[in-house]
Amino acid sequence: MDIQKIIELVKLTKDLIKNREMVAHVKEKGLADYVTQVDIAVQNFLKEKLFILAPDIQFLGEETGLQEMKADSFWILDPVDGTTNLMHDYQHSVVSLALCHKEEIVMGIVYDPFHEEIFTAIKGKGAFLNGHPIHVSNSEKLSDTIIGIGTAKRELADENFTRFRRVFGQCQDVRRIGSAALELAYTACGRQGGYFEIYLNPWDYSAGMLLIQEAGGKVTDFMGRTLEPRKGSSVVATNGYIHEELLSLL
């Protein structure tokens, strides 16, 4: 699979994502969970183009939901990670695309059309930002880092914010971008030391997970276990050095 062809396809979604008229058409999928015409248009576009490139590879996308993947290989797409950001023109929304083969993520792309940043990784070949190699931060202590947080599962808000407070007390500061894929990409390139969220679906974390692993970091669930790309999970992603220290606070 030629990653350059996939990158060019993903970059073609820019005009769709920046179409404010399409963004204005919003449906509520659940509590504080939205879908716009942009989400649907981007998913349909990439699904069609990826099928032309590789008709034997199955497709798992956010707007079709979790479903059983019977093939050894399948795409995992979040057409717009950060839909609420997009609705408010907050300009931190990305396309997240991963390729899973035999239970491993082997390709990951996170594209930020607002800042023209495209994060890419192929298993065993490193991680890159706009073609330049990236690496996680070299901070060895939580107190020397900023940590990204995610607020999924509103019914767990009290538990989550207690957790945020514990982490905030031990790190330099916390950040919430509102896009899990972007948080993971920022961890991969060293802009923050880590990121965690109580629950993410595979389309939220798969591409970003490979970016971090190929950039020298570590990704597990809250119990320190390896993530399974077919399932949703809690997610802790760090530069590796601070992983156990952050896990101990969760």
Side-chain angles (χ1 to χ4, degrees):
M1 185 67 63
D2 184 351
I3 192 172
Q4 291 304 319
K5 289 183 179 180
I6 309 302
I7 289 170
E8 292 308 311
L9 273 185
V10 171
K11 290 175 75 172
L12 289 175
T13 64
K14 179 177 179 177
D15 288 344
L16 290 172
I17 293 170
K18 289 194 167 186
N19 187 319
R20 296 306 299 169
E21 183 178 346
M22 291 175 63
V23 170
H25 294 272
V26 179
K27 291 183 180 179
E28 190 168 1
K29 296 190 292 185
L31 181 61
D33 187 10
Y34 305 97
V35 59
T36 72
Q37 281 190 353
V38 173
D39 299 73
I40 296 167
V42 170
Q43 177 156 308
N44 288 343
F45 171 79
L46 287 175
K47 184 177 182 179
E48 176 186 341
K49 297 301 183 183
L50 290 169
F51 180 78
I52 292 170
L53 275 180
D56 57 327
I57 298 179
Q58 281 191 295
F59 182 87
L60 176 66
E62 178 177 11
E63 303 316 326
T64 51
L66 279 175
Q67 54 190 292
E68 185 179 356
M69 293 289 107
K70 297 179 180 179
D72 282 344
S73 297
F74 56 96
W75 300 106
I76 305 174
L77 173 70
D78 193 336
V80 180
D81 190 52
T83 298
T84 304
N85 285 350
L86 189 68
M87 289 161 52
H88 295 276
D89 200 22
Y90 195 65
Q91 301 198 357
H92 285 85
S93 303
V94 299
V95 180
S96 177
L97 178 67
L99 178 61
C100 182
H101 178 66
K102 294 185 177 179
E103 310 307 317
E104 287 190 316
I105 304 300
V106 296
M107 179 189 297
I109 298 171
V110 174
Y111 174 48
D112 176 355
F114 296 98
H115 302 94
E116 280 303 331
E117 291 190 326
I118 190 153
F119 300 83
T120 60
I122 293 179
K123 187 172 177 61
K125 296 187 177 180
F128 301 85
L129 168 55
N130 292 345
H132 301 287
I134 55 175
H135 198 274
V136 293
S137 82
N138 58 10
S139 298
E140 297 183 0
K141 297 184 295 182
L142 191 59
S143 58
D144 292 332
T145 67
I146 58 174
I147 299 295
I149 60 174
T151 53
K153 298 283 187 183
R154 286 198 169 212
E155 64 272 22
L156 299 177
D158 290 344
E159 175 187 333
N160 269 334
F161 278 82
T162 299
R163 186 179 288 116
F164 300 156
R165 180 64 182 85
R166 286 199 301 269
V167 173
F168 176 68
Q170 298 299 317
C171 67
Q172 284 186 344
D173 209 341
V174 295
R175 296 286 185 271
R176 183 178 184 276
I177 299 172
S179 163
L182 197 55
E183 296 272 16
L184 293 167
Y186 281 11
T187 301
C189 70
R191 293 176 184 170
Q192 56 193 34
Y195 163 74
F196 66 93
E197 189 149 356
I198 188 66
Y199 183 84
L200 293 173
N201 281 301
W203 46 79
D204 299 311
Y205 70 75
S206 293
M209 176 174 69
L210 183 64
L211 288 172
I212 290 173
Q213 291 168 339
E214 289 297 313
K218 186 173 183 178
V219 184
T220 69
D221 68 9
F222 279 18
M223 302 300 292
R225 298 172 298 204
T226 301
L227 303 185
E228 300 177 43
R230 296 176 186 264
K231 299 178 180 178
S233 177
S234 58
V235 173
V236 187
T238 72
N239 63 0
Y241 299 110
I242 64 167
H243 203 83
E244 295 304 319
E245 188 179 0
L246 182 55
L247 278 179
S248 71
L249 297 171
L250 305 181

